[in-house]
């Protein structure tokens, strides 16, 4: 990974920050993007000015994405790995009670933001005949659960978009992987989903040993470290404490 450039969205915390640390540990250059510039500055101070280029970016802003990519300084301009990590879940209400504004925010971030970041960086990868797009999916894209409605649908989009990218990029030398974690602790995911309600946010992890952001970072690093001839199409990972449940059956009163 030495001297390779990794462009990470949502790098201010959680998976993104852990992924930045994992790649930087092997000498990679990191373009760390997120909305919270102060968090990115902290990552730069931690990992070093030469290792991290902090860039304030809201992936919902297509024009901003295009501007950031166009204005990358020479040392960071040739991106080897794009990690589309920015994303969020909001609410856990059934569809008939959900907030349409929250639905739109998930669509704009998880789907549109990922698309536009990919579109902005792909031409350079194709021109160089090398590169890797790593999209952060979720097991929610494969397995539905009550209240998952639009969040799960956005992750199903990430999964299928990744597959279609592979079809489009056949013969270019550019790789695509969808990484699909299950239950992960130690992030802001649940706190964001429940609007900062700490009690609700902590409940899914009570008395469990979930995955960690470092586990996810190690997975991303592994798929990107394979020989150029190897494309890991997708990786699904869960903690041992998690598994599939039975199909639910609703029974009426006799």
């Amino acid at each position: 990974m030495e001297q390779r450039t990794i462009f990470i969205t949502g790098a201010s915390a959680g998976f993104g920050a852990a992924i930045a640390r994992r790649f930087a540990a092997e000498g990679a250059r990191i373009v760390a993007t997120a909305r919270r510039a102060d968090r990115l500055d902290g990552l730069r101070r931690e990992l070093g000015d030469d290792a991290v280029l902090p860039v304030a970016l809201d992936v919902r802003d297509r024009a901003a994405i295009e501007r950031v990519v166009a204005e990358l300084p020479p040392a960071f301009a040739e991106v080897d790995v794009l990690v589309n990590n920015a994303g969020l879940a909001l609410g856990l209400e059934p569809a008939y009670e959900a907030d349409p504004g929250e639905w739109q925010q998930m669509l704009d971030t998880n789907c549109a933001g990922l698309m536009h970041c990919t579109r902005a960086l792909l031409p350079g990868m194709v021109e160089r005949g090398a590169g890797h797009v790593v999209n952060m999916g979720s097991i929610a894209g494969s397995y539905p659960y009550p209240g998952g409605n639009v969040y799960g649908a956005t992750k199903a989009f990430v999964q299928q978009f990744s597959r279609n990218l592979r079809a489009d990029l056949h013969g270019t030398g550019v790789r695509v992987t969808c990484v699909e974690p299950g239950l992960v602790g130690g992030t802001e995911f649940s706190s964001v989903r429940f609007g900062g309600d700490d009690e609700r946010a902590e409940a899914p992890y009570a008395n469990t040993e979930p995955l960690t952001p470092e586990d996810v970072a190690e997975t991303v690093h592994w798929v990107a470290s394979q020989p150029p001839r190897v494309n890991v199409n997708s990786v699904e990972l869960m903690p041992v404490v998690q598994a599939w449940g039975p199909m639910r059956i609703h029974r009426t009163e006799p």
Side-chain angles (χ1 to χ4, degrees):
M1 289 298 161
E2 190 173 359
Q3 299 306 309
R4 297 180 73 188
T5 300
I6 319 298
F7 190 109
I8 305 170
T9 66
S12 60
F15 296 174
I19 292 166
R21 293 184 181 104
R22 182 64 183 89
F23 279 98
E26 293 195 5
R29 293 180 293 258
I30 311 297
V31 181
T33 75
R35 291 178 298 167
R36 294 177 290 187
D38 58 330
R39 294 281 192 94
L40 297 177
D41 284 337
L43 192 64
R44 175 185 55 80
R45 290 192 297 271
E46 174 189 341
L47 300 178
D49 293 346
D50 294 335
V52 176
L53 175 68
V55 180
L57 176 65
D58 186 336
V59 298
R60 294 174 296 177
D61 187 339
R62 178 181 173 185
I65 293 169
E66 294 171 350
R67 183 171 61 253
V68 164
V69 171
E71 295 177 355
L72 287 173
F76 293 86
E78 293 191 357
V79 173
D80 298 290
V81 180
L82 164 62
V83 182
N84 278 313
N85 168 70
L88 76 167
L90 295 171
L92 200 61
E93 294 76 24
Y96 54 86
E97 296 178 351
D99 181 343
E102 292 183 344
W103 278 6
Q104 191 63 53
Q105 188 175 347
M106 287 186 280
L107 288 168
D108 291 343
T109 306
N110 301 1
C111 299
L114 180 145
M115 283 191 307
H116 296 315
C117 285
T118 302
R119 180 61 181 84
L121 286 164
L122 268 186
M125 293 182 179
V126 172
E127 182 180 353
R128 294 187 296 275
H132 198 158
V133 178
V134 180
N135 292 326
M136 193 56 60
S138 167
I139 63 167
S142 298
Y143 314 113
Y145 59 88
N149 45 68
V150 169
Y151 173 70
T154 67
K155 292 306 183 177
F157 168 87
V158 172
Q159 182 186 82
Q160 191 63 20
F161 183 62
S162 301
R163 292 170 175 172
N164 281 283
L165 280 178
R166 282 279 290 132
D168 286 347
L169 293 167
H170 181 69
T172 66
V174 180
R175 303 187 289 180
V176 183
T177 301
C178 189
V179 176
E180 303 168 7
L183 186 71
V184 184
T187 76
E188 299 175 343
F189 176 86
S190 195
S191 179
V192 170
R193 165 166 254 171
F194 296 119
D197 184 330
D198 291 339
E199 185 174 350
R200 289 189 73 193
E202 293 170 6
Y205 311 101
N207 304 314
T208 72
E209 187 177 3
L211 299 175
T212 69
E214 290 72 28
D215 295 330
V216 175
E218 189 64 37
T219 303
V220 172
H221 179 270
W222 177 76
V223 301
S225 300
Q226 297 306 300
R229 67 181 179 276
V230 177
N231 191 97
V232 180
N233 295 330
S234 62
V235 178
E236 180 183 289
L237 59 154
M238 293 181 183
V240 174
V241 299
Q242 185 178 37
W244 303 279
M247 297 293 287
R248 302 195 305 167
I249 300 173
H250 174 70
R251 303 185 189 277
T252 58
E253 293 295 329

